[in-house]
Amino acid sequence: MPVYKLYYFNARARAEGIRWLLSLAGVEFEDIRIDRNDWPTKKQEMPLGYVPVLEVDGQKLSESQAISRYLANTFGFAGKTDWEKALADQYVDVVYDILSAARAISRAPNDEAKAEIKRILIEVDGPRILGHFERCLESNKSGYLVGDSLTWADVVVASYLDSFIDRISPEFGELLEKFPKIRAHLDKVRAIPQIAAFIAKRPKTVL
Ligand SMILES: N[C@@H](CCC(=O)N[C@@H](CS)C(=O)NCC(=O)O)C(=O)O
């Protein structure tokens, strides 16, 4: 079994789905949470100067989506057909749009701009994206986003919603309650024994 090391900060955000995928695969990994004070030095050691980075037997891979897709392919969570793989990609791409909005909120220059970006997310883009997920879960019947079994899209989407509930709270949590199938999906993914075990021991973080 290769030696896996995951580098990120002490946060869920872009790394949590990767942690859940590694946990699901049942592989040991070093969950390295870089202290902000050490970051200027550590940054030099990252291929693109940012994290998450997954190191596999000494080789470093950047980009959260590339890392998750690599783990999905390695451990059998990519989807069973090319179409299922494309659907999984689609769901992951879409949830990243919520991440972009969440980042824009935290980077807004003042409270007024922050409130306006948040309003658009909660009133327009959030309902549009979550509505799409809700309809897909309704029509797919399996309880998973794609096909009849778990894919990396379920894991990555749930990991971001898990993080957004605290990051964009309380409005995002209230919005999520309007989509019972997504809410149930999030609970179902979090309850997968290997993921539940990871969550039980993970550090408590805001993001
Ligand atoms: N496209 C990259 C973006 C990675 C990224 O923005 N990482 C941030 C943390 S979420 C980071 O390392 N920031 C510190 C820096 O850029 O110096 C991905 O999805 O992995």
Side-chain angles (χ1 to χ4, degrees):
M1 187 62 80
V3 175
Y4 293 97
K5 292 182 186 179
L6 177 64
Y7 298 88
Y8 197 58
F9 299 113
N10 188 23
R12 282 170 276 171
R14 288 181 198 262
E16 192 67 3
I18 300 168
R19 296 184 183 115
W20 288 11
L21 283 166
L22 286 162
S23 303
L24 196 58
V27 298
E28 293 283 320
F29 68 101
E30 203 178 331
D31 188 7
I32 299 163
R33 294 168 185 251
I34 301 166
D35 190 288
R36 287 279 174 184
N37 295 324
D38 299 334
W39 178 237
T41 312
K42 291 284 173 203
K43 189 175 169 70
Q44 315 301 321
E45 296 166 18
M46 302 303 155
L48 286 151
Y50 50 65
V51 281
V53 163
L54 180 70
E55 191 177 304
V56 185
D57 279 345
Q59 297 198 87
K60 286 188 172 125
L61 180 66
S62 296
E63 286 299 336
S64 51
Q65 291 195 40
I67 296 168
S68 298
R69 195 178 291 109
Y70 165 74
L71 294 174
N73 282 318
T74 304
F75 296 111
F77 302 114
K80 292 176 186 148
T81 62
D82 284 349
W83 184 250
E84 284 192 6
K85 288 176 188 169
L87 285 176
D89 282 345
Q90 173 203 256
Y91 287 117
V92 172
D93 283 351
V94 171
V95 87
Y96 268 73
D97 284 353
I98 306 185
L99 174 66
S100 301
R103 276 168 71 86
I105 293 170
S106 51
R107 290 172 172 203
N110 53 50
D111 287 351
E112 208 174 34
K114 230 181 246 295
E116 181 55 9
I117 300 170
K118 201 170 188 173
R119 187 192 66 74
I120 293 170
L121 173 62
I122 298 299
E123 292 179 13
V124 184
D125 292 329
R128 176 177 59 80
I129 293 169
L130 296 179
H132 176 65
F133 286 173
E134 184 82 2
R135 285 190 297 281
C136 292
L137 284 168
E138 216 162 276
S139 67
N140 199 33
K141 307 285 183 227
S142 66
Y144 299 107
L145 286 167
V146 178
D148 60 5
S149 55
L150 188 87
T151 64
W152 68 295
D154 295 295
V155 176
V156 172
V157 166
S159 75
Y160 275 109
L161 298 184
D162 175 79
S163 166
F164 295 150
I165 284 176
D166 294 329
R167 183 172 181 160
I168 319 172
S169 66
E171 293 89 339
F172 193 81
E174 287 159 14
L175 176 64
L176 210 52
E177 294 308 318
K178 296 182 185 154
F179 300 94
K181 294 229 175 315
I182 303 176
R183 187 67 244 191
H185 175 265
L186 171 59
D187 291 342
K188 176 173 154 147
V189 174
R190 283 198 291 211
I192 295 170
Q194 299 93 321
I195 294 178
F198 175 79
I199 289 174
K201 63 169 200 224
R202 75 183 175 190
K204 299 256 172 294
T205 57
V206 177
L207 300 186

